[in-house]
């Protein structure tokens, strides 16, 4: 992939851009394999073919730092001197995201929204967080230091909708602290719609402003389908349009986010799924997706609980575990308490989706009663060192 920003040294986020894409996949899977095979309970695992991405146009979410001036903003990143570098034509962005960038820059300039100056600690607009669905629907979030521009943005929403006809959700995120964080805790909706419907694999997921969704929806679809395939006791990569010979009756999806794993499993035929996630916003989104699928039967098919996933799970009786447990934790992993509970519980199958192979291996080492049968590498972020690895474990 050719990238002018990379060639000119303006952006080096894609650190392995000069390595052929098949070789990138091979190296990262080999690195994960080295880590996993050091475990006695993973020594005999097999690998499925890697879940590859398209090398370009794969990002459906953009986190654009705003620099420059109110009249001439840049959307991209900040350099070592905290000056804005415009990356609005970045080739890894979905084409529909790239098409939205000039309109957003024009809107910022038209309203004279002052970019936040990190060095001087003044200004207001820190980031534009933009998400696009497969049908072109957009969610735009203005990350601001204060409420100074909130009324202005609300009054000029029709202008933003004129510039971006496919806009579905717009919001203000309040980020008052001078900290190395992309967003703050408080969200103020500007639109009536609170979620962006996104078709991901076999399910329409509802992305809320503060709920986690995968950046690469093409690869996320592969991951969710693979987990449903493994949940049924199947091996290998699921063929397009294929169904499982049999499905388990019950499945828990811990750290479920907006419900991607749980809902795909239920659509595939699992009789009842339970998703647990600490974010009430994400749980609300998952419940809405379930209602879209099953209307009045949604509660019987998919139950979602707003709670700390670890605390909720370890409070359950180990002898009353479901047929399958899926865990999809943040980079820190599931930790000793949940690993210990999974090691002792009656669930015959555990599927672990990890964005950090190091913590994956640490957690698996604490679950010796579960043997890793099969694994698959999913390339959510081509050209980087990021590794998304999913494994299916079965009780000894």
């Amino acid at each position: 992939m050719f990238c002018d920003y990379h060639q000119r040294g303006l952006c080096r986020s894609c650190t392995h851009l000069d390595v052929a894409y098949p070789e990138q996949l091979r190296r990262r899977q080999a690195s994960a394999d080295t880590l996993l095979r050091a475990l006695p309970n993973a020594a005999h695992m097999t690998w499925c073919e890697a879940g590859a991405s398209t090398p370009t146009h794969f990002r459906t979410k953009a986190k654009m730092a705003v620099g420059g001036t109110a009249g001439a903003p840049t959307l991209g990143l900040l350099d070592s001197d905290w000056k804005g570098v415009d990356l609005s034509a970045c080739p890894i962005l979905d084409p529909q995201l790239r098409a939205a960038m000039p309109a957003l820059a024009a809107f910022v300039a038209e309203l004279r929204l002052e970019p936040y100056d990190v060095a001087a600690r003044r200004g207001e607009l820190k980031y534009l967080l933009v998400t696009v669905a497969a049908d072109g629907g957009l969610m735009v979030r203005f990350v601001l230091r204060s409420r100074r521009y909130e009324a202005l943005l609300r009054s000029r929403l029709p202008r933003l909708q004129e510039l971006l006809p496919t806009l579905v959700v717009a919001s203000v995120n309040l980020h008052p602290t001078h900290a190395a964080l992309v967003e703050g805790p408080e969200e103020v909706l500007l639109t009536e719609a609170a979620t962006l419907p996104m078709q991901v694999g076999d399910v329409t997921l509802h992305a809320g402003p503060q709920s986690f969704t995968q950046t690469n929806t093409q690869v996320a679809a592969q991951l969710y389908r693979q987990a449903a395939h493994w949940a049924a006791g199947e091996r290998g990569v699921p063929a397009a349009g294929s169904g499982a010979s049999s499905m388990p009756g019950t499945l828990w999806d811990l750290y479920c986010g907006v419900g991607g794993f749980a809902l795909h499993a239920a659509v595939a035929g699992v009789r009842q799924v339970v998703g647990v996630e600490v974010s009430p916003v994400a749980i609300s989104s998952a419940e809405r997706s379930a209602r879209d699928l099953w209307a009045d039967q949604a509660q019987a098919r998919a139950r979602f609980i707003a709670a700390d996933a670890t605390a909720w799970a370890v409070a359950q009786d180990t002898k009353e575990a479901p047929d399958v447990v899926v865990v999809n934790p943040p980079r820190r992993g599931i930790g000793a308490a949940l690993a210990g509970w999974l090691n002792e519980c009656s669930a015959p199958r555990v599927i672990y989706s990890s964005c950090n192979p190091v913590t994956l291996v640490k957690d698996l080492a604490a679950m010796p009663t579960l043997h890793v049968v099969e694994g698959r590498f999913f390339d959510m972020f081509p050209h980087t060192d990021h590794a998304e690895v999913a494994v299916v474990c079965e009780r000894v």
Side-chain angles (χ1 to χ4, degrees):
M1 180 188 85
F2 175 79
C3 175
D4 183 60
Y5 300 121
H6 183 83
Q7 290 294 108
R8 290 191 287 152
L10 295 176
C11 176
R12 290 287 175 171
S13 297
C14 296
T15 52
H16 302 301
L17 195 60
D18 298 323
V19 179
Y21 186 60
E23 178 63 12
Q24 291 183 35
L25 288 179
R26 188 199 67 77
R27 289 181 186 180
R28 281 183 285 162
Q29 181 172 305
S31 178
D33 180 70
T34 299
L35 288 170
L36 281 160
R37 288 198 190 279
L39 294 173
N41 56 335
H44 303 292
M45 67 172 292
T46 58
W47 286 94
C48 298
E49 178 183 354
S53 172
T54 55
T56 60
H57 309 319
F58 58 84
R59 284 196 73 107
T60 55
K61 297 195 318 189
K63 300 178 181 180
M64 310 301 278
V66 183
T69 65
T74 61
L75 306 182
L77 55 75
L78 303 179
D79 65 17
S80 58
D81 295 321
W82 306 111
K83 302 300 182 183
V85 177
D86 194 86
L87 302 177
S88 56
C90 174
I92 67 172
L93 295 180
D94 183 288
Q96 298 172 108
L97 274 184
R98 287 177 61 172
M101 293 303 158
L104 286 166
F107 183 73
V108 170
E110 189 175 305
L111 271 62
R112 307 292 295 183
L113 304 179
E114 183 186 4
Y116 182 66
D117 185 326
V118 176
R121 299 195 180 194
R122 66 168 180 261
E124 288 292 324
L125 181 58
K126 296 184 175 183
Y127 289 91
L128 287 178
L129 308 181
V130 192
T131 303
V132 66
D135 64 1
L138 289 167
M139 175 165 58
V140 178
R141 304 169 63 204
F142 296 84
V143 181
L144 301 175
R145 187 173 68 156
S146 74
R147 294 182 178 272
R148 175 181 166 188
Y149 291 135
E150 181 186 334
L152 175 62
L153 284 167
R154 192 178 298 280
S155 69
R156 297 308 301 268
L157 181 60
R159 175 56 176 161
L160 183 60
Q161 292 167 323
E162 179 184 335
L163 290 168
L164 296 173
T166 61
L167 182 71
V168 177
V169 179
S171 68
V172 166
N173 177 269
L174 294 171
H175 184 3
T177 59
H178 183 80
L181 299 170
V182 174
E183 60 186 86
E186 186 178 354
E187 200 84 19
V188 181
L189 278 170
L190 302 176
T191 51
E192 184 176 347
T195 62
L196 175 68
M198 300 184 69
Q199 184 68 34
V200 183
D202 305 318
V203 174
T204 297
L205 300 175
H206 284 270
Q210 290 186 301
S211 55
F212 172 79
T213 56
Q214 295 286 359
T215 295
N216 190 326
T217 53
Q218 172 201 85
V219 176
Q222 297 181 61
L223 173 60
Y224 295 147
R225 287 169 174 157
Q226 184 68 57
H229 191 66
W230 280 339
E234 304 287 345
R235 296 288 176 265
V237 176
S242 65
S245 55
S246 62
M247 292 300 291
T250 55
L251 177 145
W252 290 353
D253 178 4
L254 304 180
Y255 310 94
C256 71
V258 295
F261 287 104
L263 292 169
H264 271 80
V267 166
V270 176
R271 186 178 68 252
Q272 186 180 60
V273 299
V274 175
V276 185
E277 166 63 48
V278 72
S279 167
V281 173
I283 289 298
S284 178
S285 294
E287 290 173 336
R288 181 170 179 183
S289 296
R291 290 194 299 272
D292 288 349
L293 285 166
W294 300 294
D296 293 342
Q297 299 301 311
Q299 186 69 15
R301 296 296 306 276
R303 185 164 62 99
F304 293 98
I305 300 167
D308 177 88
T310 295
W312 182 87
V314 300
Q316 312 305 309
D317 189 333
T318 56
K319 296 181 176 61
E320 296 181 5
D323 300 315
V324 181
V325 178
V326 178
V327 293
N328 181 35
R331 289 187 61 80
R332 66 177 181 271
I334 62 174
L338 182 53
W341 189 91
L342 289 170
N343 189 59
E344 298 297 328
C345 79
S346 60
R349 188 169 298 128
V350 172
I351 298 167
Y352 192 138
S353 177
S354 170
C355 61
N356 184 353
V358 173
T359 53
L360 168 65
V361 168
K362 180 180 178 181
D363 290 335
L364 290 172
M367 298 186 285
T369 67
L370 290 162
H371 278 202
V372 181
V373 177
E374 196 167 70
R376 192 176 180 193
F377 174 84
F378 294 89
D379 194 11
M380 293 287 184
F381 297 93
H383 321 304
T384 72
D385 288 320
H386 181 89
E388 189 90 18
V389 176
V391 296
V392 56
C393 309
E394 294 188 346
R395 188 77 54 192
V396 178

